[in-house]
């Protein structure tokens, strides 16, 4: 089974801090994604990556950046955390760049609170 | 505009009964796919089932089946013989094959009563 591991389950940070959310997948998937999930707003795509060192903006990239130096690892960076970035963050991966029916495999999520 | 709607914020079902979770979508494209995911309270989103717009038969995976009605633009998830472990949030998602863009419904919370 594919395993997507997010480094932290819960995280509490202060406003203005730089925050790193780490995600690792163990099945050699090409595609990796970062979503945030908020009540009433559903899942919203922040950034995604189809290959090492490649990144594409999703629907809500403002205030975030990403890094993919190795195929298995996709990091989400909050350059200067703000309270409106308090949310559940979900990392996901999928197998093939051109395969539209490859399901996403998700990690357990990181619940980030910014105070 | 492309949109996915899950009209039932919450549902209850008795253990061992079947339940249908609704999902309707709005698109003018002919090529798309529909996914259903389950999110238990632990937080992990779990893929359940996929249906392509050109698939002639409804998708099935164990106790999950997808009631796909293309003309009505609906892709309802049917769970047969509900179990207590089925209590979770369920999300419908749609992917446009041309753009690979994926959008999500807001989810339905299912509670299975013993």
């Amino acid at each position: 089974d594919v395993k997507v591991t997010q480094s932290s389950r819960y995280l509490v940070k202060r406003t203005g801090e730089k925050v790193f959310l780490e995600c690792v997948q163990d099945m050699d998937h090409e595609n990796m994604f970062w979503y945030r999930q908020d009540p009433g707003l559903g899942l919203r795509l922040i950034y995604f990556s189809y290959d090492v060192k490649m990144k594409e903006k999703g629907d809500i990239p403002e205030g975030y950046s990403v890094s993919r130096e190795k195929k298995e690892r996709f990091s989400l960076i909050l350059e200067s955390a703000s309270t409106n970035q308090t949310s559940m963050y979900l990392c996901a991966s999928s197998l093939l760049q051109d395969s539209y029916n490859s399901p996403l495999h998700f990690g357990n999520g990181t619940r980030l609170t910014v105070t | 505009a492309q949109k996915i709607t899950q009209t039932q914020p919450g549902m209850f079902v008795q253990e061992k009964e079947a339940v249908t979770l609704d999902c309707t979508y709005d698109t003018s494209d002919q090529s798309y796919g529909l996914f259903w995911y389950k999110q238990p309270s632990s937080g992990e989103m779990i893929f359940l089932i996929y249906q392509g717009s050109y698939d002639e038969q409804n998708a099935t995976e164990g106790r999950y089946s997808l009631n796909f009605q293309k003309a009505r633009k609906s892709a309802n998830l049917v769970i047969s013989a509900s179990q207590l472990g089925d209590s979770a949030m369920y999300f419908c998602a749609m992917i446009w094959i041309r753009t690979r863009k994926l959008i999500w419904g807001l989810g339905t919370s299912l509670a299975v009563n013993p």
Side-chain angles (χ1 to χ4, degrees):
Chain A
D1 271 357
V2 176
K3 190 145 180 77
V4 179
T5 303
Q6 294 184 231
S7 55
S8 302
R9 190 81 174 94
Y10 298 95
L11 213 51
V12 180
K13 295 292 181 181
R14 293 194 179 276
T15 302
E17 277 193 79
K18 190 169 186 174
V19 181
F20 293 85
L21 302 184
E22 306 288 347
C23 175
V24 177
Q25 50 95 1
D26 67 358
M27 284 299 290
D28 205 34
H29 280 182
E30 294 183 355
N31 308 325
M32 296 191 74
F33 306 82
W34 274 107
Y35 285 90
R36 63 177 284 177
Q37 183 178 23
D38 301 285
L41 297 176
L43 272 77
R44 293 179 292 167
L45 181 64
I46 305 171
Y47 267 96
F48 60 101
S49 168
Y50 288 142
D51 202 351
V52 176
K53 296 196 186 292
M54 290 184 64
K55 60 184 178 184
E56 298 282 347
K57 292 180 180 178
D59 298 318
I60 52 162
E62 297 79 19
Y64 304 94
S65 63
V66 289
S67 171
R68 194 168 181 197
E69 295 296 319
K70 293 184 178 180
K71 191 173 185 179
E72 67 270 19
R73 185 180 296 270
F74 193 36
S75 303
L76 180 69
I77 304 155
L78 287 65
E79 295 289 343
S80 177
S82 64
T83 54
N84 63 12
Q85 293 178 309
T86 292
S87 185
M88 170 71 95
Y89 290 87
L90 296 172
C91 175
S93 70
S94 67
L95 182 55
L96 295 170
Q97 179 177 347
D98 292 328
S99 177
Y100 55 85
N101 59 356
S102 289
L104 295 177
H105 298 266
F106 284 85
N108 282 341
T110 296
R111 188 166 292 283
L112 172 67
T113 302
V114 182
T115 62
Chain B
Q2 296 152 335
K3 191 178 173 184
I4 278 230
T5 303
Q6 293 181 253
T7 56
Q8 309 147 314
M11 290 278 287
F12 293 91
V13 66
Q14 211 58 34
E15 193 178 8
K16 299 181 185 175
E17 291 184 353
V19 62
T20 298
L21 305 183
D22 294 343
C23 174
T24 59
Y25 55 92
D26 188 12
T27 182
S28 55
D29 279 28
Q30 296 300 309
S31 301
Y32 52 88
L34 294 145
F35 296 89
W36 276 93
Y37 287 83
K38 170 186 178 181
Q39 187 179 37
S41 56
S42 58
E44 181 184 359
M45 296 278 273
I46 302 165
F47 165 70
L48 296 177
I49 198 167
Y50 171 83
Q51 176 90 39
S53 60
Y54 293 113
D55 294 341
E56 294 186 355
Q57 293 197 332
N58 286 343
T60 59
E61 290 286 348
R63 293 187 299 110
Y64 304 108
S65 61
L66 206 151
N67 183 2
F68 181 49
Q69 297 187 42
K70 193 170 181 177
R72 299 179 66 178
K73 296 186 178 178
S74 74
N76 299 338
L77 178 70
V78 181
I79 306 174
S80 63
S82 298
Q83 301 171 357
L84 296 178
D86 293 335
S87 295
M89 285 289 292
Y90 288 82
F91 292 90
C92 180
M94 180 172 180
I95 187 165
W96 278 267
I97 292 169
R98 178 170 51 87
T99 62
R100 302 290 192 264
K101 184 173 175 60
L102 180 71
I103 65 167
W104 296 79
L106 295 183
T108 294
S109 175
L110 177 66
V112 180
N113 296 324

